[in-house]
């Protein structure tokens, strides 16, 4: 029969692993959101010039840059 100390260690280990997995899931969600935002920007930029909504493009790019930073402005 497994000792109480061993069970406690196992539970503690499992809790730590669950916390780590939850953090990884949150990171995946953030990455997926960034990819979706980037796809929105790319889809808007790929439209023919006559069909583009320049205000929408500017807004999308501003929102995207707020999240990841603007490499053109970094010094």
């Amino acid at each position: 029969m497994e000792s109480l100390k061993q069970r406690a260690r196992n539970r503690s280990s499992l809790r730590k692993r669950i916390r780590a997995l939850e953090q990884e899931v949150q990171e995946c969600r953030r990455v997926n959101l960034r990819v979706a935002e980037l796809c929105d920007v790319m889809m808007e930029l790929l439209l023919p010039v006559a069909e583009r909504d320049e205000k929408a493009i500017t807004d999308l790019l501003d929102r995207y840059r707020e999240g990841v930073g603007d490499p053109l402005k970094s010094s």
Side-chain angles (χ1 to χ4, degrees):
M1 183 169 178
E2 198 174 25
S3 73
L4 290 176
K5 287 182 182 180
Q6 184 62 34
R7 284 189 211 173
R9 271 187 250 131
N10 287 344
R11 285 184 182 157
S12 177
S13 175
L14 286 174
R15 285 187 188 110
K16 288 178 185 177
R17 184 64 185 140
I18 288 170
R19 277 193 293 271
L21 289 170
E22 287 173 341
Q23 290 173 348
E24 289 176 21
V25 167
Q26 289 304 317
E27 180 61 24
C28 287
R29 287 179 178 166
R30 284 189 290 273
V31 169
N32 285 337
L33 180 59
R34 301 310 298 160
V35 168
E37 291 171 346
L38 184 57
C39 287
D40 289 345
V41 170
M42 293 306 300
M43 291 301 294
E44 193 67 35
L45 291 173
L46 291 173
L47 287 173
V49 174
E51 296 176 24
R52 284 186 191 170
D53 180 352
E54 294 299 324
K55 172 79 170 109
I57 292 172
T58 301
D59 291 344
L60 284 168
L61 286 171
D62 288 344
R63 274 200 333 260
Y64 185 77
R65 287 175 177 150
E66 283 175 12
V68 297
D70 186 354
L72 299 177
K73 292 182 181 178
S74 64
S75 304

